[in-house]
Amino acid sequence: MKNLLRDAFPSNSVIDIRRLLLEARQSKLYIIFLTPRSGSTWLTELIMPTGKLGAPQEWFNDNWIYTDEPALGCLPPRLRGLTDINAYISSIIDEGQGVAGIQLSVFQALMVRELFSEPLDPSIFSGIFY
């Protein structure tokens, strides 16, 4: 399977686990695993206005990540002017002001996993939802 995310980050497409661990010490991170047509966009629309749970967007949607179009106010790497995956992740976490979420389909999760510099301990996440 070709990793459809790698080319979105021409400067660096390797997620530095050590850097992610540092981010997790400063912010609460969570993952929502989704299936298509499950209401995940609606969930994001409900969560974002609270200002309490960040923006649990499909940050690694393999179609959207290459666009110049915001989705629910969230900016893909190109609109952020970022070509390094770690800078992209940090910018998302920073916007959450202490909490940041992500939605991943199984396919997206497999592609993201391939980008890790080393195995990830899932305990860095404050919550994992299905």
Side-chain angles (χ1 to χ4, degrees):
M1 166 175 89
K2 178 180 173 20
N3 192 312
L4 302 175
L5 299 174
R6 195 175 308 278
D7 292 339
F9 304 98
S11 294
N12 177 32
S13 63
V14 177
I15 299 171
D16 182 345
I17 295 299
R18 291 186 187 119
R19 184 171 170 176
L20 189 57
L21 288 170
L22 290 173
E23 299 272 12
R25 288 186 188 130
Q26 297 174 358
S27 295
K28 292 184 179 193
L29 307 178
Y30 65 95
I31 300 175
I32 300 170
F33 289 102
L34 62 93
T35 58
R37 308 299 308 154
S38 63
S40 58
T41 300
W42 183 45
L43 179 63
T44 299
E45 289 173 341
L46 293 172
I47 288 174
M48 286 179 60
T50 70
K52 306 286 185 198
L53 295 172
Q57 179 62 281
E58 280 187 70
W59 295 108
F60 291 99
N61 179 299
D62 52 285
N63 292 312
W64 174 76
I65 204 163
Y66 289 97
T67 70
D68 291 326
E69 298 294 324
L72 301 176
C74 300
L75 305 177
R78 192 177 302 168
L79 283 182
R80 292 169 185 267
L82 301 173
T83 59
D84 180 298
I85 196 166
N86 296 293
Y88 178 61
I89 292 169
S90 291
S91 69
I92 293 164
I93 293 171
D94 289 346
E95 288 173 5
Q97 301 174 351
V99 63
I102 184 171
Q103 294 183 34
L104 293 169
S105 68
V106 172
F107 181 62
Q108 293 163 358
L110 291 171
M111 287 190 294
V112 169
R113 184 184 69 180
E114 288 179 10
L115 302 178
F116 291 145
S117 62
E118 57 192 86
L120 174 70
D121 178 0
S123 70
I124 72 164
F125 296 102
S126 298
I128 298 174
F129 307 93
Y130 304 94

